[in-house]
C-alpha cells in the first residue's frame, strides 16, 4: 500500500534522518571539498525521501543510502561534464601492479604509528589522488564498514573486484601519502 | 618478519586509519536547515526516551560506562573549540548507536579498557547518581574527546564529553554560575549543553534536559 505524505515524512525522519551525519561525512571524503559535499548530501537525502516508499523496512538503510549517494555522484559528474582529475582505473591497473611489486615496505617500519600521525584532512586530500571508483570502494569498505557483498552491489562489480580494489586502493593511498610522510620524517 | 607479513601489517594499518575517518565530526546545521525547509519534520517525532525504555528492563544492574580519555593527536598545542553543532552530533550519534561504542560494567573496567588502548587516557570522573551505558572516543579538530552516554533523570539520555582542559577552549555562550561552578551554556536544536572545567578537565553535558538539570548533574561529579 502506498504511503501517504505524512507516513513518508515520518518514515524518513525515523529511518534516514539519523544517518545524515554519515552521509555528509562520506560526501566530504568523496568530494574533497565542503561545498560539493553539502550539495551531494542534500541531493542524496532528498532522493532518499522521494524513494522512501521503495525502501524495505528491516533492510540495510546505510547501504541503501550509499547506493543513492553513489548514483547522485555519478549524475553530478556527468551533468557537469567533468573528467575526473585523478588517475583513470585503467592506468591505475598498470601502475599499481608495478607499485605493489616495488612498494618500499621497509620505509613503513612502524605502519600503525605512521598512519596515525596523519590528520583526517591529510588522509582525505591523499584520497583525492585515487581514481573515483577506488576511492569509493575504500569509503564503502574501510570507512563505512559495509561488507564486501553490499559494496559489490552498490558499485555493480563482482565480489572479487571489491577485494582487489580494496587492496590496491590502500597501496595507492600509501603511495600518495609517502611524500608527506618523508617530509614529516615519519619514514626513511 | 617476512615481507608478506609486513605487507599485511601495512594493509591492516591503512584500513584501520581509514576506519577512524568515521569519527570525523561534521557540522550538519546547514544541511539540516536545507532539508527541514524542504521536508518539514512531523510534529510528533518519537522521543529518544522510547528507544531506551527496553534498556531499562534489560539493564537493571547498575553499570557505569567506560571513560574515554582524550588524547592529543597533533603537535600544534593549540586548544580546540567545540561548536554546539558538533557536540549535538556526538550526542545524537551515541544515542542512535550509529558509532562503535564500548559497554562496561564499572568505571574501573572502563578506565582499564581505555588505558589499554590509549596510554594517556584521562580518567573519567564518577557520577554516583547516573547510570552509564556506552562510551566512545571522538575527535574535535585534532584533540581526542571521551564521550559517555548516561541515563539521566527520567531516563532521558545525557552525553558527558570529557577532555583535558588544556586541549579545549570555552568561549561564547551564556555564562551562568551554579553552586560555585561557572558554566558556559549553549543550545543546538532541542539539545542543551552545559560546559565547565574542573580538576584540569573540560567537561560538557549534552541533553534534552533543562540546563538546570545538567548543572545539577555536573555538581555531583566526584573528582
Amino acid at each position: 500500500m502506498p504511503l501517504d505524505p505524512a507516513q513518508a515524512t515520518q518514515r524518513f525522519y525515523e529511518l534516514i534522518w539519523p544517518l545524515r551525519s554519515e552521509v555528509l561525512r562520506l560526501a566530504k571524503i568523496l568530494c574533497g571539498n565542503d561545498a560539493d559535499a553539502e550539495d551531494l548530501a542534500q541531493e542524496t537525502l532528498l532522493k532518499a525521501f522521494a524513494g522512501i516508499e521503495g525502501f524495505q523496512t528491516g533492510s540495510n538503510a546505510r547501504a541503501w543510502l550509499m547506493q543513492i549517494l553513489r548514483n547522485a555522484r555519478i549524475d553530478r559528474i556527468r551533468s557537469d561534464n567533468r573528467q575526473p582529475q585523478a588517475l583513470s582505473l585503467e592506468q591505475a591497473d598498470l601502475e599499481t601492479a608495478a607499485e605493489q611489486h616495488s612498494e618500499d615496505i621497509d620505509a613503513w617500519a612502524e605502519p600503525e604509528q605512521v598512519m596515525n600521525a596523519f590528520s583526517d584532512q591529510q588522509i582525505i586530500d591523499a584520497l583525492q589522488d585515487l581514481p573515483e571508483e577506488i576511492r569509493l570502494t575504500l569509503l564503502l569498505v574501510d570507512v563505512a564498514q559495509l561488507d564486501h557483498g553490499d559494496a559489490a552491489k552498490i558499485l555493480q562489480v563482482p565480489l572479487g573486484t571489491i577485494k582487489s580494489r580494496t587492496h590496491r586502493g590502500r597501496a595507492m593511498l600509501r603511495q600518495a601519502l609517502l611524500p608527506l610522510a618523508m617530509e614529516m620524517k615519519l619514514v626513511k | 618478519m617476512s615481507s608478506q607479513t609486513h605487507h599485511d601489517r601495512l594493509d591492516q594499518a591503512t584500513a584501520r586509519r581509514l576506519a577512524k575517518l568515521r569519527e570525523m565530526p561534521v557540522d550538519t546545521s546547514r544541511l539540516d536547515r536545507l532539508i527541514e525547509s524542504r521536508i518539514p519534520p512531523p510534529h510528533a517525532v518519537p522521543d529518544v526516551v522510547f528507544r531506551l525504555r527496553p534498556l531499562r528492563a534489560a539493564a537493571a544492574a547498575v553499570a557505569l560506562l567506560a571513560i574515554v580519555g582524550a588524547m592529543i593527536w597533533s603537535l600544534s598545542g593549540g586548544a580546540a573549540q567545540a561548536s554546539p553543532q558538533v557536540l549535538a552530533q556526538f550526542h545524537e550519534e551515541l544515542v542512535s548507536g550509529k558509532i562503535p561504542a564500548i559497554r562496561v560494567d564499572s568505571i574501573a573496567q572502563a578506565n582499564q579498557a581505555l588505558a589499554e588502548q590509549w596510554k594517556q587516557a584521562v580518567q573519567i570522573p564518577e557520577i554516583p547518581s547516573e547510570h552509564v551505558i556506552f562510551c566512545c572516543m571522538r575527535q574535535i579538530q585534532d584533540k581526542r574527546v571521551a564521550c559517555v552516554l548516561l541515563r539521566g533523570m527520567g531516563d532521558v539520555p545525557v552525553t558527558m564529553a570529557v577532555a583535558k582542559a588544556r586541549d579545549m577552549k570555552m568561549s561564547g555562550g551564556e555564562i551562568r554560575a551554579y553552586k560555585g561552578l561557572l558554566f558556559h551554556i549553549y543550545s543546538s536544536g532541542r539539545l542543551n549543553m552545559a560546559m565547565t572545567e574542573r580538576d584540569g578537565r573540560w567537561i560538557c553535558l549534552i541533553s534534552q534536559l533543562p540546563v538546570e538539570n545538567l548543572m545539577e548533574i555536573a555538581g555531583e561529579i566526584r573528582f
Side-chain angles (χ1 to χ4, degrees), chain A residues 13 18 20 25 38 170, chain B residues 11 24 30 32 39 98:
Chain A
Y13 276 98
R20 68 198 189 283
R25 188 178 294 118
E38 287 217 355
R170 291 169 188 163
Chain B
D11 202 60
M24 181 179 76
R30 189 164 167 269
D32 290 354
I39 311 170
K98 281 198 308 107

Side-chain angles (χ1 to χ4, degrees), chain A residues 9 13 17-21 25 38 49 105 108 111-112 115-116 118-120 142-143 167 170 174, chain B residues 3 6 9-11 14 16-22 24 30 32 39-40 42 73 89 92-93 98:
Chain A
T9 302
Y13 276 98
W17 187 246
L19 299 173
R20 68 198 189 283
S21 310
R25 188 178 294 118
E38 287 217 355
F49 175 68
I105 59 174
W108 301 82
E112 204 78 38
M115 293 306 296
N116 286 337
F118 296 115
S119 69
D120 287 346
D142 286 342
V143 182
H167 288 300
R170 291 169 188 163
R174 288 193 296 275
Chain B
S3 72
H6 187 49
R9 275 185 67 209
L10 255 180
D11 202 60
T14 310
R16 279 195 285 270
R17 181 58 186 92
L18 284 166
K20 287 180 182 169
L21 289 177
R22 281 191 79 186
M24 181 179 76
R30 189 164 167 269
D32 290 354
I39 311 170
W73 278 59
Q89 182 189 323
E92 286 173 1
E93 289 181 341
K98 281 198 308 107

Side-chain angles (χ1 to χ4, degrees), chain A residues 87-139:
Chain A
L87 206 58
S88 70
L89 262 179
E90 292 73 24
Q91 206 169 353
D93 278 336
L94 296 170
E95 292 196 11
T96 310
E99 281 163 7
Q100 284 189 335
H101 181 70
S102 67
E103 181 177 12
D104 184 5
I105 59 174
D106 288 337
W108 301 82
E110 296 294 333
E112 204 78 38
Q113 196 177 321
V114 174
M115 293 306 296
N116 286 337
F118 296 115
S119 69
D120 287 346
Q121 193 57 51
Q122 287 168 334
I123 300 285
I124 291 170
D125 290 343
L127 282 167
Q128 305 314 305
D129 286 348
L130 276 56
E132 176 91 3
E133 288 295 281
I134 293 209
R135 185 161 71 246
L136 192 48
T137 303
L138 291 182
L139 286 191

Side-chain angles (χ1 to χ4, degrees), chain B residues 16-90:
Chain B
R16 279 195 285 270
R17 181 58 186 92
L18 284 166
K20 287 180 182 169
L21 289 177
R22 281 191 79 186
E23 299 166 24
M24 181 179 76
V26 290
D27 183 350
T28 64
S29 54
R30 189 164 167 269
L31 181 66
D32 290 354
R33 282 195 301 276
L34 289 168
I35 296 297
E36 285 175 351
S37 69
R38 300 280 295 270
I39 311 170
H43 290 297
V45 176
D47 196 303
V48 70
V49 170
F50 292 117
R51 194 181 301 130
L52 291 180
R53 280 186 181 165
L55 288 178
R56 187 195 338 199
V62 174
L64 293 188
L65 204 76
I67 298 173
V68 179
M71 285 184 66
I72 298 176
W73 278 59
S74 127
L75 297 175
S76 68
Q81 171 83 51
S83 73
Q85 291 77 25
V86 166
L87 292 167
Q89 182 189 323
F90 284 3

Side-chain angles (χ1 to χ4, degrees), chain A residues 64-81:
Chain A
W64 185 70
L65 270 177
M66 296 303 109
Q67 176 81 71
I68 296 173
L69 184 145
R70 190 240 177 181
N71 293 344
R73 172 72 169 167
I74 290 173
D75 290 343
R76 288 177 69 80
I77 289 175
R78 282 185 188 146
S79 69
D80 290 350
N81 213 19

